[in-house]
Amino acid sequence: MDFNLTPDQIAFKKMAQELVAKEITPYIREMDEKSEMRPGLIQKFHEAGILNLVVPEEYDGPGLDALSIALIYEELGKGCAGIATSAAANALASYPVVVAGTEEQKRKMFDTINDGKLAAFALTEPNAGSDAGGVSTSATRDGEYYVLNGTKCFITNGGISDIYTVFANARKSAGIRGLTAFIVDRNTPGFSVGKKEDKMGMRPSNTTELILDNVRVHESMRIGREGEGFKIAMKTLDAARPLVGAVGVGLADAALQAACKYAKERQQFGKPIASFQLVQGMIADMAMAVETARLMVYKACWLKDQGKDYKLESAMAKCLAADVAMKVTTDAVQIMGGYGYMKEYPVEKMMRDAKLLQIYEGTNQIQRLVVANSILY
Ligand code: COS
């Protein structure tokens, strides 16, 4: 076992650290308050090569391995989990095409994101969250076309993307075996963006409803076979969940660093609070949790890169890292006391951001189901 990073991986981390320091950290409070990324940030991400990390080399992308991508997202997560989530949505939206796309579909999706545009993954609906197979958006055949009708919700980058992977049911009576994936252009007639959500955390990331009103999609833009959508969605989520874990590791690590810095500076009873053993115990538990989550995330990525089965470890990595991020950010606020609770310091935002990691891309209850089912059966 070799825990050393390659020179390339070290360079990727450094690039992401610099991007965070220059383009995110100085503006983070403003973006959190306004609930949007500042103008030009996506372009900066594009120039840094962050938006198309999963595009293979043969499609003019960097074709990075999963571990390298995770290392980059870990650094972005230290800057802002919401912005990291926005950048990661391009990976999430592209995986269905990676998994089951035709040559034409790959070109279309990859050319779009290679150009610095955003893509969004539209599976969730008001009544289909954990029950992903319960999608009620319909896809009705009409000659060479499908006509899509329905509403999607909580879609990351919903309002600011150019291209979408949309899941709809082409055979209602078949339940999850009717679920089918499509590529939909933003400018298709009948496609519109609904309300923008006002979230507790991850506020710079754009989250909206999508409305599909008789949206006609040519059959050439159906990803995989009719009815194959559920499996494509599951494989996509398997691939994306370690990245959520990586963002959680970065977020938790940033909260730990903020708490350590504060504990060494803050004087009470004539000494820095870092010298009190109850505080040291919290710092030690936080550090051990961050390192454990990091190892789990790296292992899930390593398994994927080796072409081995990684569904179990993917769910473990997402679940563990999200829970660690929630606990560590909460403890960081506790160590910083009244100051930690104030917006002037960074950890209250981190605590708000961490909550979403336990909810999106499959709740941590769903991850535990996947873990338990993998172990039991
Ligand atoms: N990879 C490939 N195929 C998979 C799979 C995976 N990771 N997981 C399930 N499948 C297949 C199964 O093999 C099964 O196929 P067959 O019917 O041919 O045997 C089919 O999918 C149904 O599997 P299963 O019965 O396990 O599905 P369930 O209905 O029990 O649901 C959970 C499984 C709950 C795990 C799934 O619905 C899920 O992950 N939900 C959360 C969705 C989510 O993350 N939503 C967030 C929004 S997206 S950002």
Side-chain angles (χ1 to χ4, degrees), residues 74-135:
E74 184 181 333
E75 294 306 322
L76 296 180
K78 290 179 189 172
C80 175
I83 294 172
T85 294
S86 237
N90 268 12
L92 183 65
S94 311
Y95 281 130
V97 176
V98 173
V99 167
T102 62
E103 187 63 22
E104 183 190 0
Q105 291 165 359
K106 285 180 180 162
R107 273 278 156 229
K108 185 175 174 62
M109 175 62 76
F110 297 150
D111 284 354
T112 306
I113 61 178
N114 281 342
D115 273 355
K117 308 269 174 40
L118 296 179
F121 178 82
L123 173 63
T124 301
E125 298 185 355
N127 293 314
S130 292
D131 181 11
V135 158

Side-chain angles (χ1 to χ4, degrees), residues 92 121 123-124 129-130 132 176-177 230-231 234-235 237-238 241 311 361-362 366 370:
L92 183 65
F121 178 82
L123 173 63
T124 301
S130 292
I176 65 167
R177 290 179 198 282
F230 189 77
K231 285 189 185 176
M234 291 302 114
K235 285 183 188 164
L237 291 167
D238 286 345
R241 284 171 180 159
K311 174 181 157 181
E361 292 195 33
I366 288 291
V370 172

Side-chain angles (χ1 to χ4, degrees), residues 286-341:
M286 290 157 79
M288 288 188 284
V290 172
E291 194 55 23
T292 310
R294 180 177 282 124
L295 291 172
M296 191 70 244
V297 168
Y298 290 4
K299 181 173 179 191
C301 293
W302 179 85
L303 286 168
K304 180 170 191 288
D305 290 334
Q306 300 298 310
K308 295 179 194 282
D309 192 10
Y310 69 105
K311 174 181 157 181
L312 166 66
E313 289 78 5
S314 167
M316 285 178 166
K318 191 274 183 187
C319 188
L320 180 63
D323 283 350
V324 163
M326 193 69 249
K327 175 83 171 76
V328 169
T329 54
T330 306
D331 285 349
V333 170
Q334 186 68 22
I335 288 172
M336 295 175 68
Y339 294 103
Y341 201 68

